[in-house]
Amino acid sequence: MSALFEPLTLRSLTFPHRVWMAPMCQYSAAPEGPLAGVATDWHFTHYAARATGGTALVIQEATAVSPEGRISPYDLGIWNDTQVEALRRITGFVTEHGGIPGVQLAHAGRKASTERPWKGGAPVGPEAHGWQPSGPSPVAFAEGHPVPHELTADEIREVVGQFGAAARRALAAGFKAVEVHGAHGYLIGEFLSPHGNHRTDGYGGSFENRVRFALEVVDAVRAEWPEDLPVLFRISATDWLEEGGWTGDDTVRFAALLKEHGVDLLDVSTGGNAAGVRIPVAPGYQVPFATRVRAETGLPVAAVGLITDPAQAEKIVANGEADAVLLGRELLRDPYWARRAARELGAEIRTPGQYARA
């Protein structure tokens, strides 16, 4: 039997196999007005295609816990009930066709208020539906980016509360797994790394202080999320800086704390917190970071990053390098990747009756 297509259980939730969809922003919601952040027909079609394509866990793109937490003005949100109603259509379809609907809860921090990637991705101001971003310290992400507003202690507590409220709405929307976005240089990752966190209060300086915000967010989410359903956390395992950044050692240490705070699986990516760094991109280049976390902490992990071939994915799971694989761009290219992989590896997965004759 294929290891990639064996079920995996986290708490009471059993995933039919280990081919999962990584969160990938679509930048396709209205930027303002009563439909701001609300899922559209594009979102429904996008996620429905991956569900009928056989993907076991369909994680919805970074979904902002507040208007200011969006990466772009066109991101999805989960800060009001209108957004919840639109999401129920997506989660219902994914569930009906054998998938597990998941959602990534996010706050973009100092990397917020940017244009859509195909429009250049540069920071935008009020004239283009933008706003002033916020972060742990008044340090811009890169040249040409605005200096963010430094969050006060009271504002930090407010954001923690927004994550908790978002988890409550995610449950009402029908999601079965929730992922906290702590990667790629967005707000939580900014607090974790000394590269972007220059605070001198209880949220900066030492490792213990820099992880405080992340753990408070996890606790707020876990308090709202059912005990029998899993919480995932996405991490950038390294900033790829020679010094002054977040490291693989930090990730292992932090993963052990996340496990104590009720996180069930670590989604291991890298980078995004420092501009202009050299990243040794190659097939599976991030997998060793996931493998190390799994080996040293016992926390289940998912690997992501240039995993494109079924045999490659099978090897990662069969060798115990990760418990699941997350596909990003590959699922944009091929929504039916899971079906193709199952056929190549001699496995069987659920097929919609409408497609059975194929």
Side-chain angles (χ1 to χ4, degrees), residues 28-343:
S28 297
E32 60 183 12
L35 295 181
V38 175
T40 66
D41 284 349
W42 174 270
H43 298 98
F44 177 83
T45 303
H46 174 66
Y47 293 111
R50 277 73 197 170
T52 55
T55 308
L57 171 62
V58 178
I59 305 181
Q60 183 173 284
E61 62 201 78
T63 303
V65 301
S66 70
E68 300 77 21
R70 292 173 292 175
I71 300 169
S72 87
Y74 301 90
D75 283 5
L76 288 183
I78 195 164
W79 65 80
N80 66 43
D81 293 338
T82 301
Q83 295 159 345
V84 169
E85 287 300 319
L87 293 172
R88 285 198 182 107
R89 182 181 177 215
I90 295 172
T91 61
F93 187 93
V94 172
T95 301
E96 179 184 356
H97 292 280
I100 304 291
V103 61
Q104 185 185 70
L105 305 181
H107 191 299
R110 66 178 181 169
K111 294 175 75 174
S113 189
T114 57
E115 183 54 275
R116 291 161 292 185
W118 58 87
K119 295 285 189 178
V124 295
E127 73 287 350
H129 314 292
W131 59 92
Q132 183 187 12
S134 59
S137 302
V139 180
F141 169 65
E143 185 177 351
H145 284 246
V147 174
H149 161 70
E150 182 177 39
L151 291 169
T152 67
D154 286 343
E155 289 169 335
I156 290 171
R157 285 188 286 272
E158 182 179 355
V159 175
V160 170
Q162 290 168 346
F163 271 94
R168 185 167 61 252
R169 289 193 175 97
L171 185 65
F175 292 103
K176 300 301 182 184
V178 65
E179 177 174 90
V180 175
H181 196 356
H184 302 155
Y186 298 122
L187 186 63
I188 293 175
E190 292 164 17
F191 270 89
L192 293 176
S193 174
H195 178 73
N197 183 349
H198 299 174
R199 299 178 74 96
T200 57
D201 63 1
Y203 290 96
S206 68
F207 172 89
E208 291 80 7
N209 285 355
R210 287 184 282 110
V211 304
R212 188 184 309 278
F213 173 62
L215 294 179
E216 288 178 352
V217 168
V218 167
D219 289 345
V221 169
R222 187 77 264 182
E224 296 288 350
W225 201 242
E227 185 66 24
D228 64 339
L229 292 178
V231 171
L232 286 57
F233 191 100
R234 184 164 236 199
I235 187 77
S236 281
T238 176
D239 288 340
W240 297 108
L241 292 169
E242 292 184 5
E243 58 182 25
W246 183 262
T247 69
D249 289 341
D250 293 327
T251 296
V252 171
R253 186 178 175 188
F254 181 50
L257 293 174
L258 290 173
K259 186 177 180 181
E260 292 176 3
H261 283 254
V263 168
D264 301 288
L265 179 138
L266 194 66
D267 169 359
V268 185
S269 187
T270 65
N273 199 41
V277 298
R278 295 175 61 87
I279 300 176
V281 176
Y285 70 105
Q286 297 174 147
V287 175
F289 294 98
T291 304
R292 184 182 171 194
V293 168
R294 188 176 191 266
E296 295 188 27
T297 70
L299 182 66
V301 298
V304 64
L306 284 182
I307 299 171
T308 60
D309 181 74
Q312 174 196 17
E314 172 73 14
K315 175 180 174 292
I316 289 168
V317 175
N319 290 353
E321 297 172 69
D323 298 277
V325 295
L326 284 155
L327 276 65
R329 290 172 176 83
E330 188 63 19
L331 274 182
L332 294 182
R333 292 185 283 265
D334 181 6
Y336 296 91
W337 191 94
R339 298 201 177 283
R340 178 168 62 84
R343 185 169 61 251

